[in-house]
Amino acid sequence: MRRGTRRGRCAALLTAAVAVSLGAAGCTAGPGAQDDGRASTAPVPERSHSAAPASGPVLAVKVDNVRAARPQTGLEDADVVYAEPVEAGLSRLMAIYATELPESVGPVRSARESDLELLGQFDRPVLAFSGAQSKLLPIIDKAPLRAEPASEDSDAYVRAGDRQAPHNLYLRPDELLGKPSGAAALTTGFTYGKAPAGGRAESSHTVRYPSASFAFTWSDSRDRWLVSMDGSPARTADGGRLAPATVVVQHVRVRESDFRDFRGSNSPYVESVGSGEAEVLRDGRVYDATWKRGAAEDGTTFTTGDGKPLNFAEGQVWVVFAGRS
């Protein structure tokens, strides 16, 4: 499923800034959040990864992830959810849609510089975001993607009356893409299929940022990992549980960027190009892996200790970027 490289088209847009390492995020295994059984019998749709050609680009949506933004809308329909560190040790999500388009996604928040490097793996993706720092906007405009920031004259965005700004902006995906583009648009480099031999049984796994955390607890009844964020079960808008089939904890370099938020906090830059260690959680087991991404135009491969592809389980994938220790 890897796509050919386009190194000459956007390398200049993905330049490095100040090379200062941030504190690493910690990963621990432990009891985690318990399966409370709520919506535990709900069917989980399988996502097909057939070779049918893509009918268009993926949709990438920047999603708020502070407590005031929860429960989010539409995350359960994403093919891939990326979790990344942002200012003040908090987290933000990027949801990728190719096989399904929900009626609504949100709350939608602002873009970051490292989003451009991450999105380079897709063929001119549509990026939905609330806005960005004024110095970053020209860089986004020149990136190999279709930028769709929120604006007053856009029918794609609405404000919810039952939430306070800035946690009340929602996207109507069908206003940007008429229909899902298909699994072939997911040029992530991921492979799906039978689990490799080995691994170790693990009932829960936790990733910690300085001011945020993600916990994934295995549910035998759903054959999925139940998500908790900042110590609380992560729910859908209708009260169910967010429950991916595969969770990847990808250890990356996190450094300072050239940008700061309005409080003066530096915006972390997640380097998703390179190589390093990862843990892949599927089927109630954890597998040690090596990840590699040669350039921003490439997908990311995950391999076992003997160099063979490490297949993911069919279904939604969460990738949590954790700073290297």
Side-chain angles (χ1 to χ4, degrees), residues 28-33 202-206 216-217:
T28 63
E202 191 163 295
S203 61
S204 66
H205 197 90
T206 300
F216 303 93
T217 302

Side-chain angles (χ1 to χ4, degrees), residues 204-285:
S204 66
H205 197 90
T206 300
V207 181
R208 291 186 173 90
Y209 293 172
S211 302
S213 67
F214 296 87
F216 303 93
T217 302
W218 179 249
S219 169
D220 285 327
S221 63
R222 296 191 66 181
D223 288 332
R224 293 292 186 270
W225 296 93
L226 303 184
V227 182
S228 294
M229 296 187 288
D230 302 335
S232 299
R235 300 200 178 276
T236 63
D238 61 4
R241 290 292 297 272
L242 294 175
T246 303
V247 176
V248 179
V249 181
Q250 185 174 342
H251 299 277
V252 297
R253 183 180 179 224
V254 181
R255 59 171 174 81
E256 290 188 351
S257 73
D258 283 334
F259 301 94
R260 295 181 179 274
D261 67 9
F262 69 95
R263 296 184 181 90
S265 298
N266 188 269
S267 297
Y269 190 104
V270 175
E271 294 189 357
S272 57
V273 171
S275 61
E277 298 178 348
E279 292 87 47
V280 175
L281 284 63
R282 59 165 296 175
D283 306 322
R285 303 184 72 82

